[in-house]
Amino acid sequence: MNGPLDVVVMAAGKGTRMKSRIPKVLQRLAQRPLIHHVLDQAASLKARRVVVVTGHGAPEVEAACAGRTSAAGTFDLKFALQQPQLGTGHAVQQALPHLAGDGTVVVLSGDVPLTRPETLAALVEASGGGRLALLTVRLPDPAGYGRIVRGAQGQVERIVEHKDAGEAERAIDEIYSGIMAVPSALLARWLARLTNDNAQGEYYLTDVVALAVADGVPVVAHCIDDALQVAGVNSPAQLAQLERAHQLRQARALMEQGVRLADPARFDLRDDPKTGARGELVCAQDVEIDVGCIFTGRVEIGEGARIGAYCCVANARIGAAAVLHPYTHVDGEQAGVRVGEGALVGPFARLRPGATLGREVHVGNFVEVKNSQLADGAKANHLAYLGDATVGERVNYGAGSITANYDGANKHRTVIEADAHIGSNCVLVAPVTIGAGTTVAGGSTITEDTPPGSLSLGRGRQVNIAGWHRPARKPKA
Ligand code: UD1
Ligand code: CA
């Protein structure tokens, strides 16, 4: 009935109240630019074409839209420059040359990120190929918004903008959300008839309602009760408010699946701007997540695993029954991090890209692991660095020990074979191989391979000087 669907995203406004150099629609919600949230909505509608109306920061906005990762390629993307910005009606007029004139047009705002796909689908349905459908909501405080003016029979007659409204109209609590679905051919006809004869001297898109009524085209208001879905971002405070609301939505969805969040109000799941990965948390059964954790990019957590308070976990797979103790920092970036079943990590541990921990591995406080494989049962419990290392099963890696993996120009690997025991405060100068079962004495600097089963020492021999007197202070004159 609706025919093909095109979407116009109004994104030319400046967003003065953000007090930012970044165009408003590029401000981030869950580390995702607002306009990407909106483009996802267009994708959910299976739009044929999306026309983004740009103005302030047009080059940046275009670049951000073209470079976005999710849902890319699902629709044909066009840009229309609106310069100067003469109102929302004028904005959609600029998009008109990119619209084929058939089917249905859905108008969205680039700064309204949380509209649900099913809401938009219902709006398109209400438009039905022949009607003008408005998304509306009742607000306890409707100040500032366009009001839905209804006739004696309750039929929608027009929208009056707040600044043009009289006292009685200002008392109306049903407001226009800024989102409509309209047959393309009718939209084109009405846009041509807009004037700017109003309090703001702007071409109001909302004036199409009265034009529809005059033309005898039915106008339907699809009224929802969830104000969040139509909330726009105008200020940092509003952005933060929507961020919390969005995070609460995500938290509730996880709890629905059985994930145990200690506090859904202190949970964050975000996109990763560094890798472009979409925020996605996949949890098996009986996962427990304590307060204040931040998940970034794609994170998988196995059955019965526990994430302690204030962990930051990005681009990682955490095995079943593993425990991340509080304040652990995990970021797999592109290479990923894998934590094996039953491993214990932290508190205050740092797992960097390419850290791969086997089963029952222990990585304790102030231990950093990068691009290294720790086989099953290996332990590095305190204050250590493992970079570019291959660590065998059951290796014990002492406190304060490090792999010297970087010679100032190139990185080299350290291989520590199974059951080796590295004492405290050792420096393993790569490339080097520690043989299976070898013991490296504490304080050693190891520059040569060690044979299996040996004891290796690489340090100055202790000297004791008898009867040594410490220098004494001179008496004051
Ligand atoms: C508009 C509606 C109002 C509705 C409100 C919901 C009109 C005339 N009024 O108000 O009924 O209650 O949205 O939030 O449409 N934009 C452009 N070019 C312009 C002007 C605006 O691209 O020339 C964009 C803005 O960047 C923004 C969106 O359109 O994304 C809405 O503009 P905004 O000024 O926030 O809306 P209002 O005119 O206040
Ligand atoms: Ca305005």
Side-chain angles (χ1 to χ4, degrees):
M1 273 217 293
N2 293 91
L5 201 126
D6 297 323
V7 170
V8 174
V9 180
M10 297 185 295
K14 187 168 184 199
T16 311
R17 280 192 283 153
M18 287 303 297
K19 298 184 178 157
S20 169
R21 274 193 295 115
I22 301 162
K24 181 165 74 171
V25 296
L26 299 188
Q27 301 288 343
R28 291 168 179 276
L29 184 100
Q31 283 300 320
R32 184 172 185 70
L34 291 173
I35 196 153
H36 285 197
H37 289 270
V38 178
L39 293 175
D40 283 350
Q41 294 165 9
S44 81
L45 285 171
K46 304 201 161 42
R48 167 179 63 179
R49 171 164 294 179
V50 176
V51 185
V52 178
V53 180
T54 60
H56 285 279
E60 292 102 304
V61 173
E62 284 198 25
C65 291
R68 85 212 186 86
T69 50
S70 81
T74 61
F75 46 70
D76 179 26
L77 184 62
K78 296 274 189 238
F79 298 97
L81 187 66
Q82 186 199 19
Q83 202 71 272
Q85 286 91 42
L86 303 179
T88 51
H90 181 249
V92 179
Q93 279 169 356
Q94 310 313 303
L96 216 48
H98 293 297
L99 300 173
D102 60 338
T104 301
V105 174
V106 173
V107 178
L108 302 174
S109 287
D111 58 355
V112 179
L114 299 183
T115 319
R116 290 205 187 265
E118 54 271 28
T119 300
L120 294 176
L123 188 71
V124 169
E125 174 107 4
S127 167
R131 291 178 289 273
L132 169 58
L134 308 170
L135 185 62
T136 70
V137 63
R138 290 184 191 282
L139 294 182
D141 177 14
Y145 292 96
R147 310 298 208 285
I148 305 296
V149 180
R150 291 176 181 265
Q153 271 74 54
Q155 78 284 8
V156 176
E157 286 187 333
R158 61 197 167 88
I159 294 175
V160 61
E161 290 304 308
H162 181 88
K163 285 182 177 152
D164 299 285
E167 210 175 319
E169 289 163 336
R170 286 192 180 180
I172 298 171
D173 66 351
E174 187 184 6
I175 64 106
Y176 171 54
S177 65
I179 296 173
M180 64 170 63
V182 51
S184 189
L186 294 175
L187 177 66
R189 200 211 292 171
W190 296 329
L191 285 177
R193 282 153 59 187
L194 293 181
T195 66
N196 63 352
D197 180 17
N198 53 53
Q200 302 186 77
E202 287 182 7
Y203 294 90
Y204 291 164
L205 178 60
T206 43
D207 284 349
V208 301
V209 176
L211 294 172
V213 171
D215 283 359
V217 174
V219 180
V220 287
H222 180 69
C223 189
I224 59 170
D225 55 16
D226 178 8
L228 197 59
Q229 291 198 47
V230 301
V233 172
N234 293 300
S235 64
Q238 282 172 344
L239 183 59
Q241 216 174 11
L242 289 198
E243 176 79 31
R244 286 336 305 160
H246 172 68
Q247 293 300 345
L248 197 57
R249 263 191 190 175
Q250 298 193 123
R252 289 199 174 125
L254 285 163
M255 291 190 296
E256 290 276 306
Q257 295 160 27
V259 179
R260 291 198 290 278
L261 297 179
D263 183 359
R266 282 179 287 173
F267 167 86
D268 287 86
L269 170 60
R270 303 170 176 167
D271 284 15
D272 186 355
K274 251 185 331 192
T275 63
R278 192 67 195 258
E280 214 181 339
L281 182 58
V282 183
C283 294
Q285 236 172 3
D286 291 314
V287 167
E288 290 180 26
I289 298 173
D290 210 336
V291 301
C293 293
I294 301 175
F295 298 91
T296 303
R298 185 178 165 89
V299 175
E300 289 175 38
I301 306 180
E303 187 169 339
R306 288 187 288 134
I307 312 298
Y310 304 106
C311 288
C312 296
V313 185
N315 310 304
R317 275 163 57 189
I318 311 299
V323 179
L324 302 191
H325 288 295
Y327 303 102
T328 291
H329 191 280
V330 175
D331 189 356
E333 295 180 18
Q334 303 284 0
V337 162
R338 284 168 61 184
V339 173
E341 282 180 31
L344 305 179
V345 182
F348 301 103
R350 181 169 184 215
L351 304 181
R352 293 174 52 204
T356 304
L357 315 187
R359 291 162 169 265
E360 315 277 335
V361 162
H362 293 184
V363 170
N365 43 215
F366 309 109
V367 174
E368 175 183 347
V369 181
K370 185 217 76 174
N371 188 29
S372 294
Q373 295 79 47
L374 277 66
D376 297 353
K379 293 183 174 61
N381 270 323
H382 332 264
L383 296 166
Y385 176 57
L386 280 161
D388 303 306
T390 304
V391 179
E393 294 181 2
R394 297 171 301 279
V395 163
N396 196 310
Y397 193 77
S401 291
I402 65 156
T403 54
N405 56 323
Y406 185 51
D407 61 14
N410 297 298
K411 303 266 170 74
H412 302 282
R413 283 202 83 78
T414 301
V415 178
I416 307 174
E417 292 177 355
D419 298 300
H421 183 105
I422 313 297
S424 294
N425 213 31
C426 294
V427 181
L428 309 181
V429 182
V432 72
T433 296
I434 310 298
T438 284
T439 299
V440 175
S444 293
T445 296
I446 300 294
T447 55
E448 283 160 34
D449 293 355
T450 72
S454 57
L455 169 68
S456 298
L457 298 97
R459 66 188 190 209
R461 191 173 264 282
Q462 181 170 328
V463 175
N464 298 324
I465 298 170
W468 170 256
H469 295 290
R470 281 194 291 270
R473 226 175 244 176
K474 282 184 189 146
K476 280 198 179 124

